[in-house]
Every structure is written in structure tokens, then in C-alpha cells.
Amino acid sequence: MRDLAALARVSAELGANRLLVQAAGGNTSVKADGVLWVKASGRWLAKAVDEPIFAALDLPRLTDAMAAGDPACETCDAFVRADLSASGLRPSVETTLHAGLPQRFVLHVHCVETISNAVLEDGASRVAPLLDGLKWAWVPYTRPGFPLFQTITPGADIYVFANHGLVVAADTLEAAVALLATVGRRLARPLQTAPTRSARGVERAGYRLADAPALTSHGAKFAAAGTLYPDHLVFLGSGAAHIDSVVGTPPVILAPGCPPLVREDLAPAPLALAQCLGDVAARLAPNDRPRYLTAQQEYELTHWDAEKYRLTLPD
Ligand SMILES: [Zn+2]
């Protein structure tokens, strides 16, 4: 199918850009002939050309079930077209979002420029003038999956998910990619200048510096203070510690003046999320007021079967 091949190529490009996608985060889809092709859970967009990462679902059955509020829409496993899908693929946790938007192509990314606005208390009012003239909507934080889809009113081309990321939708792939570029450009925030500091002062056995910008003092503080978006919690837990309050050997240590220190044994997925934390923190300004996920919101994520499944997959 030509559209699917084109989507795979674009998905691989998105997946290779760490300012858009980190590890198995993000997902893309196309609708064709009553079938929704959507990225499978836990698969990496970066590998879209090299291996089958798209699951096929029966779109009419799925949308009927969504309209009825069928609990089967939580995993969407029941709507997979086994005759079309490679075996072992489970649909993305965001499948209902892809099914419910009317546009043919839907791209969901964890765009760092978007996130660096979307994690702020006043994110909606900051983003509004920047996206003026586009058909966009702000979506307050809701646990990803069916609950997130249920908070959305179809009708926009762009959705900014608070404390999460970005969705763009269009009837052609070219238009969707163009929207992604436009939003990324308009929401771009300048990199804050960090004080220079000799890395020798923060050297620790078993750690190395991540490939990320140096942290400012406020950036290090903000990044260590809580969970800013779901994949941080899923892959790093509460394991990003400020250098002044390190207990044990957390996966990430945040010290002003140098990039995040990452434990040398980190697997590719947590490493990508550690870099992402550095990329986001580098864009936060001293007067920003970040909004963190509440304890209840963290509990929902860590006790959600779909996320436990994602963690069991190899990188
Ligand atoms: Zn997401």
C-alpha cells in the first residue's frame, strides 16, 4: 500500500529526530479502505522502514465501539485485523486518538519545543498567540489512551497536549509533515545559556555526560523536581536527581553547568529520555512555572497495564 510505505518513510525520519521522538514514544497512522494502520505499542518509529511496526485495525468496528464507550477500546486488541498485521504487534496505546480524528494521516510526537511550552502552568496562554491563524486546540493533561481521546473534540488540525506533546492531522502526508514543521518553528524556545563549569567537578564513577545541552541552574532544579510528561516517568521513574540531593545511584543526575549525567548501564530507551530531559530543561527560562504530574496522575501511569507492557519490550 503506497500510503503506508510513504508513512513508514516519514515515520523513520521523525523517529530519527530526537527533538521530535524519543525511544518508542510517538505514533503515526493512516486510514485506508476501512483499515487503520497505526504504530504498534513499544515499537520505535525510527525502525519503521526496517521492520513491520504498523498494526492494522478494523476501523468501522473500532469507531462503533468507541462511540459506545466499549472498554475494549482501552487496548484495541479486539479490533486488530490479524489477516493484515504482522504477528506480535499490539496497537499503540493512542490508537483511539488516531481512529477518532477524521483526517487520513495523524502524527503524534513528543516534540521538545512543544513540550517546553506544554509543561508550563500558563502554557495555553503562551501558545495561543504563537499558533494564531491555525486550527489548533489545547488539551489539558489526561492519561494517554482512551481517556485522552475522550477529552478531544475533533475539528482541529493541531492538538497541543499539556504535559505530553503534539498531534497534527491532515488528509495528505505532506500537509501533516508541513504542519509539524510549522508548529515546531512557532513554538521554538531559545536555548538558555548555562554557566560554564568544569565537568571534573561532577565526575562520578559509573556515570557519563549525556549528549545534551548543559543545564542551567534553574533547568537542573526544574528537571529534578517532578514528572513533567508521561514517558519520563515510564522510563526513568523518579530517577532524575539533583546533584545536591543524590541518594544511591539514580539513572540521571542533574548538575548545573553540564549535560545530564547518565548511569553507564542505561538501556537505549531510558538514555533517550534522559537526553530529552536535558533538551527540555535547556529551554526553560528562570521565571517559568512548570506544572508537574500529580501523585494521582503518576499512579495512573505506573498502574496501567499498557505501560507495563511497553516496558517489557526490548529496545
Ligand atoms: Zn504520547
Side-chain angles (χ1 to χ4, degrees), residues 124-219:
S125 57
R126 280 175 183 248
V127 165
L130 300 173
L131 297 186
D132 189 36
L134 301 171
K135 275 168 63 185
W136 74 282
W138 174 267
V139 182
Y141 179 82
T142 308
R143 195 207 78 189
F146 198 28
L148 175 54
F149 166 70
Q150 289 172 310
T151 65
I152 284 180
T153 309
D157 301 323
I158 298 162
Y159 295 89
V160 176
F161 289 169
N163 291 92
H164 183 163
L166 172 66
V167 169
V168 297
D171 284 328
T172 69
L173 188 53
E174 294 71 22
V177 169
L179 275 177
L180 212 54
T182 299
V183 175
R185 201 167 52 241
R186 292 205 194 181
L187 297 189
R189 301 194 72 194
L191 283 178
Q192 303 280 313
T193 314
T196 46
R197 163 174 183 163
S198 163
R200 286 180 55 190
V202 293
E203 272 173 3
R204 276 178 184 248
Y207 286 83
R208 63 183 174 80
L209 294 171
D211 172 19
L215 292 158
T216 59
S217 53
H218 61 274

Side-chain angles (χ1 to χ4, degrees), residues 292-304:
Y292 299 96
L293 300 195
T294 64
Q296 173 62 29
Q297 288 165 342
E298 291 192 352
Y299 180 90
E300 283 172 4
L301 285 167
T302 51
H303 291 74
W304 180 24

Side-chain angles (χ1 to χ4, degrees), residues 67-91:
D70 185 341
C73 296
E74 184 61 60
T75 66
C76 296
D77 287 342
F79 310 103
V80 170
R81 288 272 308 263
D83 55 324
L84 296 174
S85 301
S87 65
L89 295 183
R90 274 173 71 165

Side-chain angles (χ1 to χ4, degrees), residues 195-261:
T196 46
R197 163 174 183 163
S198 163
R200 286 180 55 190
V202 293
E203 272 173 3
R204 276 178 184 248
Y207 286 83
R208 63 183 174 80
L209 294 171
D211 172 19
L215 292 158
T216 59
S217 53
H218 61 274
K221 207 173 65 198
F222 288 155
T227 299
L228 291 168
Y229 40 86
D231 274 9
H232 171 87
L233 182 70
V234 172
F235 290 104
L236 293 172
S238 52
H242 194 279
I243 193 157
D244 293 340
S245 52
V246 173
V247 179
T249 54
V252 186
I253 298 174
L254 302 159
C258 64
L261 285 156

Side-chain angles (χ1 to χ4, degrees), residues 25-27 93-94 108-110 144 148 161 164-165 230-231:
N27 32 72
V93 295
E94 301 290 16
H108 166 47
V109 292
H110 297 159
L148 175 54
F161 289 169
H164 183 163
D231 274 9

Side-chain angles (χ1 to χ4, degrees), residues 6-97:
L7 180 67
R9 279 195 301 276
V10 165
S11 299
E13 283 172 24
L14 300 179
N17 182 346
R18 77 173 212 216
L19 294 181
L20 292 177
V21 168
Q22 306 80 29
N27 32 72
T28 58
S29 71
V30 59
K31 304 174 187 77
D33 305 322
V35 174
L36 172 72
W37 295 90
V38 65
K39 197 207 75 162
S41 182
R43 306 294 159 159
W44 292 46
L45 284 173
K47 298 177 182 169
V49 170
D50 306 324
E51 57 187 61
I53 67 159
F54 292 98
L57 290 97
D58 184 326
L59 187 57
R61 274 186 59 222
L62 172 55
T63 49
D64 284 352
M66 286 162 57
D70 185 341
C73 296
E74 184 61 60
T75 66
C76 296
D77 287 342
F79 310 103
V80 170
R81 288 272 308 263
D83 55 324
L84 296 174
S85 301
S87 65
L89 295 183
R90 274 173 71 165
S92 161
V93 295
E94 301 290 16
T95 293
T96 49
L97 169 78

Side-chain angles (χ1 to χ4, degrees), residues 105-122:
F105 291 92
V106 177
L107 311 177
H108 166 47
V109 292
H110 297 159
C111 164
V112 165
E113 303 292 4
T114 304
I115 290 175
S116 63
N117 289 280
V119 297
L120 303 179
E121 293 279 5
D122 61 350

